[in-house]
Amino acid sequence: KQEVTQIPAALSVPEGENLVLNCSFTDSAIYNLQWFRQDPGKGLTSLLLIQSSQREQTSGRLNASLDKSSGRSTLYIAASQPGDSATYLCAVYNQAGTALIFGKGTTLSVSS
Amino acid sequence: IAGITQAPTSQILAAGRRMTLRCTQDMRHNAMYWYRQDLGLGLRLIHYSNTAGTTGKGEVPDGYSVSRANTDDFPLTLASAVPSQTSVYFCASGVQEGNEQFFGPGTRLTVL
């Protein structure tokens, strides 16, 4: 059974720092991987989708990498801002592409 | 309508009552999904539909049913609600299975 783990569960940084959020998964036979952010009491906002054949994907200050063989993905946030404060969720598709399996998230707090 | 809408926003329900959570998307996405989000357990897939007229079971389908009569709507029904179904329910959609998923704002359901 696929399991997705995100470490750390919580992270506090000062504004301007570059940071890395980690995601690991137990079964490397994934279809795609998607990163989301969730603000308190809100729905999920899609940040990046990395297809299984890709190594990385970039959007603005965000860069996500994927290493299927080691079962890892990282989300790099450059020059963090207080508005980046949220919970970041990593999710992997099963091999059939029918289901996203989520990690429990990393809650990020960026102080000004 | 823009994106995915869910109704109601929140609901308090007596145990044993029947309840339908509504989800509508205007993006002509083929794939739609229902998740529940619980503290400590994260997001878990309840049911999915890859195209109108078809549905499938996710990780936690018991006590829930879905239908997909057309492309836009994907209602989730609790036939006889129980307190363990207290949760936040999210509907999501994607162009097709395995693609980037987009989430609605959620329905907060309390079963007493």
Side-chain angles (χ1 to χ4, degrees):
Chain A
K1 180 186 171 187
Q2 176 75 272
E3 292 183 3
V4 180
T5 302
Q6 292 185 248
I7 295 173
L11 181 64
S12 293
V13 300
E15 182 177 8
E17 268 204 15
N18 302 323
L19 58 101
V20 174
L21 306 181
N22 296 296
C23 172
S24 61
F25 44 94
T26 54
D27 185 349
S28 62
I30 64 170
Y31 192 81
N32 291 330
L33 183 145
Q34 193 168 354
W35 282 93
F36 298 86
R37 74 173 274 167
Q38 184 176 28
D39 294 286
K42 302 292 186 184
L44 280 68
T45 300
S46 176
L47 297 174
L48 291 162
L49 175 81
I50 307 179
Q51 295 180 358
S52 60
S53 59
Q54 295 178 312
R55 297 282 294 184
E56 65 180 285
Q57 191 70 258
T58 298
S59 176
R61 292 183 295 109
L62 305 179
N63 176 276
S65 68
L66 174 62
D67 184 344
K68 280 176 52 179
S69 61
S70 66
R72 289 190 218 169
S73 176
T74 61
L75 180 67
Y76 174 83
I77 303 176
S80 58
Q81 303 169 357
D84 294 330
S85 298
T87 296
Y88 290 81
L89 295 161
C90 167
V92 301
Y93 267 107
N94 59 6
Q95 194 172 20
T98 54
L100 267 179
I101 298 139
F102 281 82
K104 291 184 172 59
T106 294
T107 299
L108 173 66
S109 176
V110 182
S111 56
S112 57
Chain B
I1 297 178
I4 301 175
T5 58
Q6 293 185 236
T9 302
S10 64
Q11 182 77 44
I12 299 174
L13 190 66
R17 296 296 295 268
R18 179 183 180 89
M19 176 74 191
T20 295
L21 307 185
R22 300 186 297 279
C23 174
T24 299
Q25 52 99 2
D26 65 355
M27 299 175 283
R28 306 303 293 172
H29 285 173
N30 285 312
M32 296 188 75
Y33 310 84
W34 274 106
Y35 295 87
R36 60 177 291 174
Q37 186 175 35
D38 302 287
L39 201 61
L41 296 175
L43 279 138
R44 295 176 292 168
L45 182 67
I46 304 171
H47 285 289
Y48 65 92
S49 168
N50 290 331
T51 189
T54 69
T55 62
K57 294 181 180 180
E59 182 184 352
V60 288
D62 294 343
Y64 305 95
S65 64
V66 292
S67 62
R68 187 86 184 278
N70 57 60
T71 298
D72 300 343
D73 301 299
F74 191 42
L76 176 74
T77 298
L78 290 67
S80 178
V82 295
S84 62
Q85 292 177 311
T86 293
S87 187
V88 181
Y89 291 85
F90 289 104
C91 178
S93 71
V95 172
Q96 60 185 34
E97 60 187 284
N99 283 180
E100 188 174 9
Q101 287 190 24
F102 300 91
F103 277 67
T107 293
R108 183 174 296 275
L109 181 68
T110 303
V111 183
L112 302 175

